[in-house]
Amino acid sequence: MKIGIMGGTFNPIHNGHIHIAKAAFDDAKLDKVLFLPTGVSYMKQGVVPSFHRFNMTKLAIEDYEYFDISDIEVKRPGFTYTKDTIEELKAINPEDELYYIIGTDTLYMIEKWYEPQYLFSNLIFLVADRGDENSKLKAKELSERFNASISFLNCDFLDISSTYVREKIVNKEYDAIASMVPEKVLDYIKTNRIYDELSIPEIIRILKEELPEKRFYHTIGVRDMAVSLAKKYGVDINKAEIAALLHDCAKYMSLDNMHAICNRYFFNLTSLEAVNEGLLHSKAGACLAVEKYGIKDQEILDAIIYHTTGRPGMNTLEKIIYISDFIEINRKHSPKLPEYRKRVFYDLDSVLIDVLYDCIYHVKSVGHDIDSKTEETFKYYTNKK
Ligand code: NAP
């Protein structure tokens, strides 16, 4: 079969994407076009989670019988590399001939992608150009250098970009994009408030209403500690404040609801997480941060995800949230806390190790199983010392 691949961040998908996929289907006489929303891009930050981009893409293509969608990229852990995707697709159907559909800007980027030679050797590129001569020259250069096969599609250029569409959505100027985005996609965006982010005062107002008083004051304590540490260690204060405020936002969800929300975001759960609300509230919290509070920043979401277990190679924001949760001013569980609260301002990593140790010791002493990630994290940082 001749399969067209329409890979994209699709943040959000729009009629320009559909238009070039249709043109590729007709021009190259393809059997079908497979839409592939990316998982985590190492090039684009602050993209809405894959769950929403996948759902929007599914809605956009459902009326076309020759379009299909695949979740292989959104389900694959780590950054998305097209090479991994192509290897997977070739392993499933080795006989298929694969065509990769792109716009002009992408043509200039592919040589910077991971293992471009592999891509040029295994894909035929179909380019929707904007009629400029430079892209023809670029294609010629790539063909010579990589022995690439690149053809240009016979289609008009629709002047639509996801950036423009997002700007209009944020300003609620829906009429300006009504002809640019499939109606079902626009409805989905509005219903799920995908591009709305709540302000910090609004987040605090909701948390105050919804969390028990003690948990709310703990949250504010984590926020105060995290913001002070962010200032000290040069971390984005806004990100630290939001991550701290939302770290426990899912603490009082039922285990069933935690599972439901984590499933929507393609999280793989460890066997211990699956039965333990105390652990699962971190991943569920990141999902709720997206769905309810409109948070899109992956660094904030990661800090929420790893605030209970830690992970090897944490960035400074993740360390700050992990530590602040344990040592904020309302915590009284250990006589060591006052010393940690001083030391943390000049030796973050040594406090991280002590807090990890205290956590493992406490969990084991009360007879509970410790999550393997916390033990891995402890080993990682003690070996690094
Ligand atoms: P995107 O913004 O959603 O765009 C998807 C494609 O549609 C792009 O080729 C884009 O071309 C084209 N397009 C958008 N609007 C268009 C319009 N009005 N007319 C014609 N074409 C239009 O997705 P993206 O972030 O560029 O990512 C594209 C793919 O590249 C994804 O599958 C991603 O995983 C892959 N990628 C792979 C690597 C890697 O493997 N290392 C690195 C980066 C990206 P333009 O670029 O011309 O807008």
Side-chain angles (χ1 to χ4, degrees):
M1 292 239 283
K2 291 169 73 171
I3 308 293
I5 299 171
M6 182 68 222
T9 308
F10 302 139
N11 184 35
I13 190 159
H14 55 66
N15 292 338
H17 297 121
I18 303 289
H19 176 67
I20 67 170
K22 276 183 182 167
F25 180 81
D26 291 336
D27 267 22
K29 310 222 171 335
L30 303 174
D31 292 296
K32 72 169 177 178
V33 176
L34 188 62
F35 280 70
L36 271 161
T38 53
V40 181
S41 165
Y42 65 96
M43 288 183 163
K44 291 188 174 174
Q45 308 297 319
V47 170
V48 304
S50 46
F51 157 70
H52 283 313
R53 292 182 291 105
F54 181 85
N55 284 351
M56 289 189 280
T57 307
K58 205 168 165 197
L59 286 170
I61 64 161
E62 67 185 5
D63 294 334
Y64 301 88
E65 59 181 29
Y66 51 89
F67 285 170
D68 202 352
I69 183 165
S70 164
D71 59 9
I72 58 175
E73 291 195 343
V74 296
K75 281 195 166 162
R76 193 186 309 131
F79 289 127
T80 299
Y81 297 109
T82 303
K83 184 199 178 220
D84 298 338
T85 308
I86 303 308
E87 279 180 337
E88 252 183 87
L89 292 175
K90 287 182 84 68
I92 299 166
N93 284 313
E95 303 304 320
D96 282 348
E97 205 172 8
L98 301 179
Y99 292 74
Y100 203 89
I101 305 160
I102 57 171
T104 320
D105 291 348
T106 308
L107 181 68
Y108 291 90
M109 296 301 293
I110 303 168
E111 62 195 300
K112 299 195 179 72
W113 290 9
Y114 179 58
E115 296 206 14
Q117 184 60 67
Y118 175 88
L119 299 174
F120 285 120
S121 303
N122 287 282
L123 297 168
I124 298 156
F125 282 87
L126 301 175
V127 186
D129 76 324
R130 296 170 194 180
D132 67 309
E133 272 315 301
N134 287 342
S135 53
K136 305 282 185 315
L137 290 173
K138 185 70 199 172
K140 189 165 175 281
E141 179 207 319
L142 292 171
S143 304
E144 285 165 6
R145 191 144 60 96
F146 294 99
N147 196 20
S149 178
I150 302 171
S151 312
F152 286 86
L153 294 171
N154 181 21
C155 67
D156 310 328
F157 173 64
L158 295 190
D159 191 8
I160 311 175
S161 74
S162 294
T163 311
Y164 179 81
V165 169
R166 283 198 305 276
E167 269 170 32
K168 296 293 158 198
I169 292 168
V170 167
N171 296 328
K172 306 225 176 329
E173 295 173 52
Y174 301 122
D175 287 349
I177 49 164
S179 62
M180 297 184 181
V181 182
E183 200 179 335
K184 292 177 197 173
V185 173
L186 198 51
D187 285 346
Y188 182 91
I189 290 169
K190 288 188 208 164
T191 308
N192 295 285
R193 299 164 61 204
I194 294 187
Y195 295 99
D196 297 359
E197 184 168 311
L198 297 190
S199 65
I200 287 175
E202 182 66 1
I203 293 174
I204 295 174
R205 189 192 62 73
I206 296 174
L207 292 173
K208 187 155 199 220
E209 238 170 64
E210 296 188 354
L211 292 179
E213 196 179 354
K214 195 167 171 218
R215 181 65 49 187
F216 175 73
Y217 286 108
H218 160 68
T219 298
I220 296 299
V222 176
R223 190 273 308 264
D224 293 346
M225 177 57 80
V227 166
S228 308
L229 289 172
K231 280 183 193 154
K232 164 72 190 169
Y233 290 105
V235 165
D236 186 314
I237 294 168
N238 191 51
K239 289 189 188 193
E241 181 162 17
I242 294 173
L245 285 171
L246 294 178
H247 80 286
D248 271 351
C249 67
K251 189 89 181 169
Y252 299 93
M253 263 186 170
S254 69
L255 189 61
D256 283 350
N257 284 343
M258 288 186 190
H259 274 273
I261 200 167
C262 287
N263 282 342
R264 290 208 287 278
Y265 289 83
F266 309 105
F267 269 125
N268 293 321
L269 305 182
T270 64
S271 51
L272 192 57
E273 271 175 340
V275 294
N276 185 329
E277 292 101 324
L279 288 171
L280 195 51
H281 82 277
S282 309
K283 283 182 177 166
C287 302
L288 198 62
V290 172
E291 287 198 2
K292 184 164 173 174
Y293 298 93
I295 306 303
K296 294 177 270 296
D297 186 292
Q298 195 58 45
E299 284 181 1
I300 296 177
L301 298 175
D302 283 343
I304 299 173
I305 291 171
Y306 296 107
H307 87 266
T308 311
T309 59
R311 66 165 163 174
M314 282 191 272
N315 63 32
T316 312
L317 176 62
E318 290 169 25
K319 290 178 190 173
I320 286 175
I321 300 301
Y322 183 85
I323 295 171
S324 301
D325 188 21
F326 274 74
I327 69 169
E328 62 90 8
I329 200 72
N330 301 298
R331 292 280 204 195
K332 307 270 183 266
H333 58 272
S334 162
K336 299 179 203 160
L337 293 180
E339 191 274 322
Y340 290 175
R341 286 179 193 129
K342 284 191 188 132
R343 182 161 35 105
V344 74
F345 284 94
Y346 59 89
D347 193 349
L348 192 69
D349 277 9
S350 78
V351 175
L352 176 67
I353 292 170
D354 285 344
V355 168
L356 283 160
Y357 175 83
D358 292 352
C359 169
I360 294 169
Y361 181 82
H362 169 74
V363 172
K364 286 189 173 167
S365 68
V366 293
H368 291 159
D369 290 329
I370 184 83
D371 189 87
S372 56
K373 199 156 238 89
T374 308
E375 287 187 314
E376 271 171 49
T377 311
F378 179 67
K379 277 192 200 129
Y380 176 91
Y381 284 101
T382 39
N383 289 340
K384 248 183 116 208
K385 229 180 153 190

